[in-house]
Amino acid sequence: MSSSTRAQTGPEGPKDSVDRLLAGLTRSLPELDHSPVAVVQRLGRVRRIIEAEVEAGFAEFGLNGPDYVALATLRLHEGSGGISQRVLMRELGLTSGTISVRVDRLVEQGLVTRSPDPGDKRNTRVELTVAGRELFDRVTPAHLSIEDRLLAALDPEQREALESILRRLLVSFEGSVPDDEFPRLGMVLAPAHIAVQMRRAVGLPEFTGLLVREVEPGSRAESAGIRTGDVLLRAGDSDLRSIAALHAALGAATEAGALHISLVRGVDAQHDVTLDVGPHIADTGSAPTSNISGTHLI
């Protein structure tokens, strides 16, 4: 259904608060495309409602959401002597100061212990106590029950579809690492929203695709003629709006042994290249690494 048709027929079912907001924006600034508001505002409003309900559930056990995530991370590493505070900081995406406060809080509650790291005198190791494990095991069923209740408006198929869409969006922000299921192409790719941002910043025409940040010497990508700065637009019959689309195209191309990619270089020069996805020496080496956060290694 086109956007004009949707505007005429309205949403499926009753309108929500975002529909009212969009109607006002459209009246005030009819020349602009307000469709991103329809997604971003709903994500934000749903998140606030869910977060309030979930936090209320944690509060019954004397915890908050970040406390629970910390306990869950430590529960996954139970039996290994805990994990370093530095690793816990990375897992939770926190600063060193914030993780120290978080761990102090859990130590005071008797849920974790902190001890010197024998492998690094500048670091400490954090481990669940018996009380911490028992609390986590009590909280988790109640937490899952709350989350399940909050998704009651969606049937199983709708939940699965929403999960897939959100995963695609989250991976585009968080980045990804090489997947052993697929041939290694030898590229570091920035997601589509970064590609648009970077080209806009230097005054180049905007294209929606995956921006090539690095090309590994001797890789399939280099052999195909892909260069740093290219924007990959299509792979086979698929638009490359996400790394998930590239993975899907790779999976379909593996049997044929080749993947055809359309890209733009420089201002607007269009190129077509063919990647050999047959056996390659790159597939037997160690996985590459990148210090560029939020990118995809493939």
Side-chain angles (χ1 to χ4, degrees):
M1 183 183 293
S2 68
S3 58
S4 60
T5 303
R6 283 197 301 270
Q8 293 169 6
T9 61
E12 296 181 5
K15 294 183 179 181
D16 61 17
S17 58
V18 176
D19 288 313
R20 293 192 292 273
L21 172 64
L22 285 168
L25 289 172
T26 302
R27 286 194 301 271
S28 301
L29 297 166
E31 71 278 9
L32 297 180
D33 174 15
H34 300 285
S35 60
V37 175
V39 176
V40 175
Q41 278 291 317
R42 286 188 173 98
L43 283 173
R45 296 184 188 202
V46 168
R47 174 185 175 274
R48 288 192 292 272
I49 293 168
I50 289 178
E51 193 172 67
E53 293 261 8
V54 168
E55 287 293 339
F58 287 140
E60 294 182 9
F61 295 87
L63 298 174
N64 58 34
D67 291 338
Y68 178 79
V69 175
L71 294 179
T73 303
L74 292 169
R75 184 74 163 88
L76 293 175
H77 292 85
E78 195 174 27
S80 61
I83 59 177
S84 75
Q85 187 164 302
R86 189 174 296 118
V87 170
L88 185 60
M89 176 182 72
R90 288 200 303 267
E91 290 282 337
L92 302 182
L94 300 174
T95 64
S96 58
T98 303
I99 192 64
S100 293
V101 172
R102 180 75 33 78
V103 173
D104 286 344
R105 168 185 165 88
L106 296 174
V107 169
E108 290 172 4
Q109 293 176 286
L111 303 177
V112 307
T113 59
R114 181 195 276 123
S115 59
D117 188 340
D120 184 353
K121 294 182 179 179
R122 298 170 299 176
N123 198 18
T124 58
R125 294 189 73 80
V126 184
E127 187 173 10
L128 273 182
T129 63
V130 172
R133 182 181 67 251
E134 291 177 348
L135 179 60
F136 176 80
D137 290 354
R138 290 203 319 273
V139 172
T140 299
H143 171 59
L144 292 175
S145 177
I146 290 171
E147 291 190 335
D148 185 62
R149 173 176 60 81
L150 292 172
L151 295 175
L154 305 178
D155 64 31
E157 289 185 359
Q158 290 168 332
R159 289 192 192 191
E160 187 175 345
L162 180 59
E163 177 191 355
S164 177
I165 292 169
L166 292 176
R167 180 188 298 111
R168 179 173 295 212
L169 189 59
L170 185 58
V171 166
S172 87
F173 289 121
E174 289 185 340
S176 59
V177 296
D179 189 328
D180 292 338
E181 289 185 28
F182 299 102
R184 189 181 305 155
L185 304 184
M187 292 183 286
V188 177
L189 301 174
H193 68 280
I194 297 297
V196 171
Q197 179 186 43
M198 293 187 71
R199 288 183 65 89
R200 179 183 296 170
V202 296
L204 290 175
E206 296 173 17
F207 289 91
T208 301
L210 302 174
L211 174 67
V212 180
R213 299 293 299 271
E214 294 179 7
V215 177
E216 186 179 343
S219 64
R220 290 180 172 94
E222 184 185 57
S223 298
I226 295 175
R227 302 177 188 173
T228 299
D230 290 347
V231 178
L232 311 184
L233 303 178
R234 292 183 63 79
D237 297 326
S238 302
D239 291 333
L240 293 181
R241 290 181 170 271
S242 70
I243 195 66
L246 180 55
H247 275 232
L250 264 175
T254 300
E255 186 175 343
L259 177 63
H260 304 291
I261 288 184
S262 299
L263 58 87
V264 65
R265 178 173 298 157
V267 177
D268 56 6
Q270 303 279 333
H271 296 270
D272 293 316
V273 300
T274 300
L275 281 158
D276 177 8
V277 293
H280 192 281
I281 191 172
D283 298 329
T284 60
S286 59
T289 59
S290 172
N291 59 6
I292 305 174
S293 62
T295 55
H296 309 292
L297 282 70
I298 190 165

mmCIF file of all heavy atoms in Angstrom, residues 128-154:
data_model
loop_
_atom_site.group_PDB
_atom_site.id
_atom_site.type_symbol
_atom_site.label_atom_id
_atom_site.label_comp_id
_atom_site.label_asym_id
_atom_site.label_seq_id
_atom_site.Cartn_x
_atom_site.Cartn_y
_atom_site.Cartn_z
ATOM 1 N N LEU A 128 29.119 -13.907 41.318
ATOM 2 C CA LEU A 128 27.856 -14.047 42.048
ATOM 3 C C LEU A 128 28.082 -14.766 43.372
ATOM 4 O O LEU A 128 28.868 -15.721 43.462
ATOM 5 C CB LEU A 128 26.867 -14.881 41.231
ATOM 6 C CG LEU A 128 25.960 -14.209 40.203
ATOM 7 C CD1 LEU A 128 25.066 -15.259 39.579
ATOM 8 C CD2 LEU A 128 25.139 -13.089 40.813
ATOM 9 N N THR A 129 27.376 -14.329 44.406
ATOM 10 C CA THR A 129 27.318 -15.091 45.649
ATOM 11 C C THR A 129 26.165 -16.091 45.554
ATOM 12 O O THR A 129 25.363 -16.056 44.606
ATOM 13 C CB THR A 129 27.074 -14.160 46.848
ATOM 14 O OG1 THR A 129 25.803 -13.525 46.679
ATOM 15 C CG2 THR A 129 28.173 -13.094 46.943
ATOM 16 N N VAL A 130 26.079 -16.960 46.529
ATOM 17 C CA VAL A 130 24.955 -17.898 46.576
ATOM 18 C C VAL A 130 23.643 -17.119 46.644
ATOM 19 O O VAL A 130 22.666 -17.444 45.953
ATOM 20 C CB VAL A 130 25.091 -18.844 47.785
ATOM 21 C CG1 VAL A 130 23.824 -19.683 47.945
ATOM 22 C CG2 VAL A 130 26.303 -19.746 47.623
ATOM 23 N N ALA A 131 23.629 -16.061 47.439
ATOM 24 C CA ALA A 131 22.421 -15.238 47.549
ATOM 25 C C ALA A 131 22.088 -14.570 46.222
ATOM 26 O O ALA A 131 20.914 -14.449 45.850
ATOM 27 C CB ALA A 131 22.609 -14.179 48.636
ATOM 28 N N GLY A 132 23.119 -14.133 45.491
ATOM 29 C CA GLY A 132 22.899 -13.503 44.190
ATOM 30 C C GLY A 132 22.298 -14.470 43.191
ATOM 31 O O GLY A 132 21.380 -14.114 42.441
ATOM 32 N N ARG A 133 22.820 -15.702 43.172
ATOM 33 C CA ARG A 133 22.274 -16.703 42.249
ATOM 34 C C ARG A 133 20.837 -17.040 42.609
ATOM 35 O O ARG A 133 19.974 -17.141 41.731
ATOM 36 C CB ARG A 133 23.131 -17.964 42.280
ATOM 37 C CG ARG A 133 22.641 -19.035 41.298
ATOM 38 C CD ARG A 133 23.463 -20.295 41.342
ATOM 39 N NE ARG A 133 23.320 -21.000 42.608
ATOM 40 C CZ ARG A 133 24.253 -21.091 43.543
ATOM 41 N NH1 ARG A 133 25.426 -20.503 43.370
ATOM 42 N NH2 ARG A 133 24.039 -21.754 44.662
ATOM 43 N N GLU A 134 20.568 -17.220 43.899
ATOM 44 C CA GLU A 134 19.210 -17.568 44.315
ATOM 45 C C GLU A 134 18.229 -16.445 43.992
ATOM 46 O O GLU A 134 17.099 -16.709 43.547
ATOM 47 C CB GLU A 134 19.201 -17.874 45.812
ATOM 48 C CG GLU A 134 19.930 -19.173 46.165
ATOM 49 C CD GLU A 134 19.975 -19.423 47.667
ATOM 50 O OE1 GLU A 134 19.642 -18.480 48.427
ATOM 51 O OE2 GLU A 134 20.350 -20.544 48.076
ATOM 52 N N LEU A 135 18.656 -15.189 44.184
ATOM 53 C CA LEU A 135 17.774 -14.075 43.856
ATOM 54 C C LEU A 135 17.515 -14.020 42.360
ATOM 55 O O LEU A 135 16.369 -13.836 41.926
ATOM 56 C CB LEU A 135 18.388 -12.752 44.336
ATOM 57 C CG LEU A 135 17.560 -11.498 44.019
ATOM 58 C CD1 LEU A 135 16.181 -11.577 44.670
ATOM 59 C CD2 LEU A 135 18.302 -10.240 44.453
ATOM 60 N N PHE A 136 18.569 -14.177 41.564
ATOM 61 C CA PHE A 136 18.394 -14.153 40.099
ATOM 62 C C PHE A 136 17.426 -15.243 39.668
ATOM 63 O O PHE A 136 16.558 -15.010 38.821
ATOM 64 C CB PHE A 136 19.740 -14.334 39.403
ATOM 65 C CG PHE A 136 19.624 -14.412 37.906
ATOM 66 C CD1 PHE A 136 19.481 -13.252 37.147
ATOM 67 C CD2 PHE A 136 19.630 -15.638 37.252
ATOM 68 C CE1 PHE A 136 19.353 -13.319 35.775
ATOM 69 C CE2 PHE A 136 19.502 -15.707 35.875
ATOM 70 C CZ PHE A 136 19.367 -14.543 35.136
ATOM 71 N N ASP A 137 17.555 -16.429 40.238
ATOM 72 C CA ASP A 137 16.691 -17.543 39.849
ATOM 73 C C ASP A 137 15.240 -17.327 40.303
ATOM 74 O O ASP A 137 14.324 -17.906 39.716
ATOM 75 C CB ASP A 137 17.227 -18.850 40.435
ATOM 76 C CG ASP A 137 18.524 -19.293 39.761
ATOM 77 O OD1 ASP A 137 18.925 -18.645 38.768
ATOM 78 O OD2 ASP A 137 19.145 -20.263 40.234
ATOM 79 N N ARG A 138 15.014 -16.498 41.329
ATOM 80 C CA ARG A 138 13.646 -16.161 41.735
ATOM 81 C C ARG A 138 13.075 -15.041 40.870
ATOM 82 O O ARG A 138 11.895 -15.059 40.516
ATOM 83 C CB ARG A 138 13.607 -15.712 43.206
ATOM 84 C CG ARG A 138 13.863 -16.790 44.210
ATOM 85 C CD ARG A 138 13.275 -16.444 45.583
ATOM 86 N NE ARG A 138 13.448 -15.055 45.984
ATOM 87 C CZ ARG A 138 14.528 -14.584 46.609
ATOM 88 N NH1 ARG A 138 15.538 -15.396 46.882
ATOM 89 N NH2 ARG A 138 14.591 -13.305 46.969
ATOM 90 N N VAL A 139 13.917 -14.066 40.539
ATOM 91 C CA VAL A 139 13.449 -12.910 39.783
ATOM 92 C C VAL A 139 13.081 -13.289 38.359
ATOM 93 O O VAL A 139 12.077 -12.802 37.808
ATOM 94 C CB VAL A 139 14.528 -11.806 39.762
ATOM 95 C CG1 VAL A 139 14.132 -10.671 38.815
ATOM 96 C CG2 VAL A 139 14.771 -11.261 41.145
ATOM 97 N N THR A 140 13.876 -14.144 37.739
ATOM 98 C CA THR A 140 13.735 -14.393 36.306
ATOM 99 C C THR A 140 12.359 -14.904 35.897
ATOM 100 O O THR A 140 11.769 -14.383 34.939
ATOM 101 C CB THR A 140 14.845 -15.344 35.819
ATOM 102 O OG1 THR A 140 16.109 -14.719 36.063
ATOM 103 C CG2 THR A 140 14.714 -15.624 34.331
ATOM 104 N N PRO A 141 11.764 -15.910 36.573
ATOM 105 C CA PRO A 141 10.413 -16.331 36.159
ATOM 106 C C PRO A 141 9.384 -15.201 36.262
ATOM 107 O O PRO A 141 8.526 -15.052 35.391
ATOM 108 C CB PRO A 141 10.089 -17.470 37.137
ATOM 109 C CG PRO A 141 11.412 -17.974 37.587
ATOM 110 C CD PRO A 141 12.299 -16.771 37.647
ATOM 111 N N ALA A 142 9.474 -14.383 37.317
ATOM 112 C CA ALA A 142 8.536 -13.274 37.464
ATOM 113 C C ALA A 142 8.751 -12.236 36.365
ATOM 114 O O ALA A 142 7.788 -11.687 35.812
ATOM 115 C CB ALA A 142 8.723 -12.627 38.841
ATOM 116 N N HIS A 143 10.006 -11.977 36.039
ATOM 117 C CA HIS A 143 10.336 -11.011 34.984
ATOM 118 C C HIS A 143 9.801 -11.488 33.635
ATOM 119 O O HIS A 143 9.198 -10.709 32.881
ATOM 120 C CB HIS A 143 11.848 -10.832 34.933
ATOM 121 C CG HIS A 143 12.334 -10.041 33.771
ATOM 122 N ND1 HIS A 143 11.938 -8.743 33.526
ATOM 123 C CD2 HIS A 143 13.181 -10.373 32.752
ATOM 124 C CE1 HIS A 143 12.519 -8.298 32.426
ATOM 125 N NE2 HIS A 143 13.272 -9.268 31.936
ATOM 126 N N LEU A 144 10.004 -12.762 33.323
ATOM 127 C CA LEU A 144 9.526 -13.300 32.050
ATOM 128 C C LEU A 144 8.001 -13.255 31.977
ATOM 129 O O LEU A 144 7.433 -13.008 30.905
ATOM 130 C CB LEU A 144 10.026 -14.733 31.863
ATOM 131 C CG LEU A 144 11.528 -14.890 31.653
ATOM 132 C CD1 LEU A 144 11.909 -16.368 31.596
ATOM 133 C CD2 LEU A 144 11.989 -14.176 30.392
ATOM 134 N N SER A 145 7.351 -13.470 33.108
ATOM 135 C CA SER A 145 5.886 -13.407 33.127
ATOM 136 C C SER A 145 5.396 -11.995 32.820
ATOM 137 O O SER A 145 4.415 -11.813 32.083
ATOM 138 C CB SER A 145 5.378 -13.851 34.507
ATOM 139 O OG SER A 145 3.971 -13.734 34.579
ATOM 140 N N ILE A 146 6.097 -10.987 33.351
ATOM 141 C CA ILE A 146 5.731 -9.595 33.063
ATOM 142 C C ILE A 146 5.920 -9.296 31.579
ATOM 143 O O ILE A 146 5.045 -8.703 30.932
ATOM 144 C CB ILE A 146 6.577 -8.635 33.920
ATOM 145 C CG1 ILE A 146 6.174 -8.736 35.387
ATOM 146 C CG2 ILE A 146 6.432 -7.189 33.425
ATOM 147 C CD1 ILE A 146 7.086 -7.980 36.334
ATOM 148 N N GLU A 147 7.062 -9.694 31.027
ATOM 149 C CA GLU A 147 7.324 -9.426 29.608
ATOM 150 C C GLU A 147 6.304 -10.121 28.711
ATOM 151 O O GLU A 147 5.844 -9.549 27.722
ATOM 152 C CB GLU A 147 8.744 -9.852 29.248
ATOM 153 C CG GLU A 147 9.817 -8.976 29.879
ATOM 154 C CD GLU A 147 11.197 -9.261 29.329
ATOM 155 O OE1 GLU A 147 11.430 -10.398 28.852
ATOM 156 O OE2 GLU A 147 12.058 -8.349 29.374
ATOM 157 N N ASP A 148 5.964 -11.350 29.075
ATOM 158 C CA ASP A 148 4.979 -12.081 28.273
ATOM 159 C C ASP A 148 3.623 -11.377 28.330
ATOM 160 O O ASP A 148 2.932 -11.240 27.316
ATOM 161 C CB ASP A 148 4.860 -13.509 28.794
ATOM 162 C CG ASP A 148 3.937 -14.362 27.934
ATOM 163 O OD1 ASP A 148 4.240 -14.549 26.740
ATOM 164 O OD2 ASP A 148 2.905 -14.827 28.450
ATOM 165 N N ARG A 149 3.239 -10.894 29.498
ATOM 166 C CA ARG A 149 1.978 -10.173 29.642
ATOM 167 C C ARG A 149 1.979 -8.893 28.809
ATOM 168 O O ARG A 149 0.974 -8.545 28.173
ATOM 169 C CB ARG A 149 1.738 -9.846 31.123
ATOM 170 C CG ARG A 149 0.537 -8.948 31.374
ATOM 171 C CD ARG A 149 0.292 -8.743 32.863
ATOM 172 N NE ARG A 149 1.413 -8.116 33.541
ATOM 173 C CZ ARG A 149 1.649 -6.800 33.537
ATOM 174 N NH1 ARG A 149 0.854 -5.978 32.851
ATOM 175 N NH2 ARG A 149 2.657 -6.290 34.199
ATOM 176 N N LEU A 150 3.096 -8.186 28.790
ATOM 177 C CA LEU A 150 3.173 -6.923 28.057
ATOM 178 C C LEU A 150 3.081 -7.118 26.543
ATOM 179 O O LEU A 150 2.763 -6.183 25.808
ATOM 180 C CB LEU A 150 4.480 -6.193 28.401
ATOM 181 C CG LEU A 150 4.561 -5.676 29.843
ATOM 182 C CD1 LEU A 150 5.957 -5.146 30.138
ATOM 183 C CD2 LEU A 150 3.510 -4.599 30.096
ATOM 184 N N LEU A 151 3.348 -8.333 26.067
ATOM 185 C CA LEU A 151 3.264 -8.627 24.634
ATOM 186 C C LEU A 151 1.967 -9.349 24.277
ATOM 187 O O LEU A 151 1.838 -9.895 23.180
ATOM 188 C CB LEU A 151 4.459 -9.488 24.206
ATOM 189 C CG LEU A 151 5.835 -8.825 24.327
ATOM 190 C CD1 LEU A 151 6.938 -9.824 23.989
ATOM 191 C CD2 LEU A 151 5.937 -7.599 23.434
ATOM 192 N N ALA A 152 1.009 -9.334 25.186
ATOM 193 C CA ALA A 152 -0.229 -10.097 24.990
ATOM 194 C C ALA A 152 -1.023 -9.647 23.768
ATOM 195 O O ALA A 152 -1.808 -10.425 23.219
ATOM 196 C CB ALA A 152 -1.103 -10.002 26.237
ATOM 197 N N ALA A 153 -0.840 -8.411 23.306
ATOM 198 C CA ALA A 153 -1.588 -7.927 22.140
ATOM 199 C C ALA A 153 -1.105 -8.555 20.838
ATOM 200 O O ALA A 153 -1.777 -8.439 19.809
ATOM 201 C CB ALA A 153 -1.474 -6.401 22.043
ATOM 202 N N LEU A 154 0.060 -9.220 20.862
ATOM 203 C CA LEU A 154 0.632 -9.812 19.654
ATOM 204 C C LEU A 154 0.510 -11.328 19.699
ATOM 205 O O LEU A 154 0.794 -11.946 20.733
ATOM 206 C CB LEU A 154 2.114 -9.435 19.526
ATOM 207 C CG LEU A 154 2.449 -7.939 19.565
ATOM 208 C CD1 LEU A 154 3.961 -7.748 19.468
ATOM 209 C CD2 LEU A 154 1.738 -7.192 18.442
#
